[in-house]
Amino acid sequence: MLIQLNKVNKTYLNGEIETQALNDVDLQIDKGDFIVVYGPSGSGKSTLLNVLSGLDVPDSGSITIGQDVISAMNQQALTLFRRRYLGFIFQQYNLLSTLTVRENVELGHAISDDPFDIDALLEQVGIADQADKFPYQLSGGQQQRVSIARALVKKPWILFCDEPTGALDEKSGKDILTLLKHLNRTYQTTIMLITHNPAIALLADKVVKMNSGAIVEIKVNTDQKEVKDISWS
């Protein structure tokens, strides 16, 4: 087992309004799993990703990744843990506009003790021929591939993906999902993908459905679909 959450709670206070974003969440994830978390807006998906990745801290409960209890870490230790072991892909690509594709990926390469070879990885994600271009010269799908390469180059234990296809058209979105599945199979990188689209859940090893801050269903997917076979909405 790579990840274990036990009775994790998180509450946000906005003025006098209290929102229970996570409510007694239990979850176990194995190394190499492709996990899809889905549910409506406000269901707790992004909060789950944030506390699991150390971007936020739970109010109570424990989160263990490998042998490390990250819910007990201070901010300095969490920052170092994220830098060493975790990768992030968001709906917004967050590329540095003044750097080329290669230079953006080098940012991830530089903080790893055992990174992937940049040229080989750019080839894997299908943008080797774009290495010297700047982000403004790329399509949205190409920019997302750069962000994936930047996150993956440091060989993270876990790749967290928050609506990575949300800003893309169907073709580009399916291309990115195909790439993520390929990387999961090739490198056994554990992937947690947050989405509001239930069709994407058909690609997962395990599907986590959330509503009102709670996990309402965990389903092991024994009949995974290929990306080309899912609908797009």
Side-chain angles (χ1 to χ4, degrees), residues 36-109:
V36 167
V37 182
Y38 84 97
S41 296
S43 61
K45 304 185 303 295
S46 292
T47 302
L48 177 64
L49 182 148
N50 288 342
V51 300
L52 183 52
S53 64
L55 293 173
D56 203 349
V57 294
D59 297 329
S60 62
S62 65
I63 303 172
T64 304
I65 299 180
Q67 301 299 315
D68 297 288
V69 182
I70 69 165
S71 52
M73 292 180 178
N74 59 31
Q75 284 300 320
Q76 183 177 3
L78 276 173
T79 298
L80 184 59
F81 187 86
R82 289 195 303 268
R83 182 183 300 170
R84 285 180 172 171
Y85 304 121
L86 308 181
F88 298 88
I89 303 167
F90 299 100
Q91 183 172 333
Q92 302 302 319
Y93 317 124
N94 297 320
L95 302 177
L96 294 182
S97 61
T98 57
L99 299 183
T100 65
V101 166
R102 171 181 288 279
E103 289 167 341
N104 268 281
V105 176
E106 284 175 348
L107 294 175
H109 187 276

Side-chain angles (χ1 to χ4, degrees), residues 141 164-180 200 203 227 230 232:
T165 62
L168 302 175
D169 58 43
E170 178 174 352
K171 181 183 183 306
S172 297
K174 286 190 172 182
D175 285 347
I176 292 303
L177 291 172
T178 299
L179 173 60
L180 290 173
I200 295 177
L203 308 175
V227 176
I230 67 170
W232 198 257

Side-chain angles (χ1 to χ4, degrees), residues 139-155:
S139 68
Q142 289 171 326
Q143 290 186 62
Q144 190 63 293
R145 287 172 183 266
V146 179
S147 71
I148 291 170
R150 183 182 58 189
L152 192 66
V153 72
K154 63 180 181 178
K155 293 185 184 177

